[in-house]
Amino acid sequence: MLSENQLLNHIYQTAEMGREGIQSVLKYTDEPKLASALNSQLTEYEQLKNAAGSMLQERGEPPKGLGPVAKASSEVMSTVKAMTDRSAANIAEMMIQGSTMGVTKSLRTMRDCDVRDAGVRRLADKLLKTEQANIEEMKRFL
């Protein structure tokens, strides 16, 4: 069974990965509506990351961010895919794939955690809803 702190770290890292993914493709889009949607999502991930980080610090645990290898791997993959096809549909598809992985990992992590703190539960649910809303928003660009 995972602890609530492990769930909070998962939320922190998932939001950080979402931010990294958006930042790595944002520079490749020429579509203003897609750029606007991505910037909104970037703000949402920042808020989730900050909330999880604050909750961890309140519990006396510093947040554990993504490792340099995970960041570099994400950046390289996104850059290669976006450089070969800068279309809004391709970038949207990449974002959908990333958010889908976020949903899958979050559901698994939440299932393996005995969450008693309502604030932690709300934040985990907010992450899921955010990922699902992001998927729906990106479908418009396919």
Side-chain angles (χ1 to χ4, degrees), residues 2 6 11 28 30-31 51 53 60 67 69 71-72 76 85-86 93 106 116 120 133 140:
L2 299 176
Q6 287 172 302
I11 295 167
Y28 295 104
D30 297 327
E31 170 62 45
V69 173
K71 283 184 180 183
V76 168
D85 181 357
R86 291 177 175 237
E93 183 179 348
S106 293
R116 297 180 190 270
V120 174
R140 295 182 309 140

Side-chain angles (χ1 to χ4, degrees), residues 13 23 28 31 40 42 45 48 72 77 94 99 103 131:
Q13 290 175 351
Q23 288 173 333
Y28 295 104
E31 170 62 45
S40 293
L42 191 62
Y45 283 126
L48 285 162
M77 289 294 288
M94 290 168 51
S99 289
V103 167
E131 295 282 28

Side-chain angles (χ1 to χ4, degrees), residues 9 19-20 25 28-29 31 35-36 52-53 55 57 64-65 73 98 104 111 115 119 131-132:
N9 266 310
R19 284 181 60 248
E20 293 289 326
V25 299
Y28 295 104
T29 185
E31 170 62 45
S36 177
M55 290 176 85
Q57 289 178 337
K64 296 177 181 98
S73 174
T104 303
R111 183 196 66 221
V115 181
E131 295 282 28
Q132 291 165 335

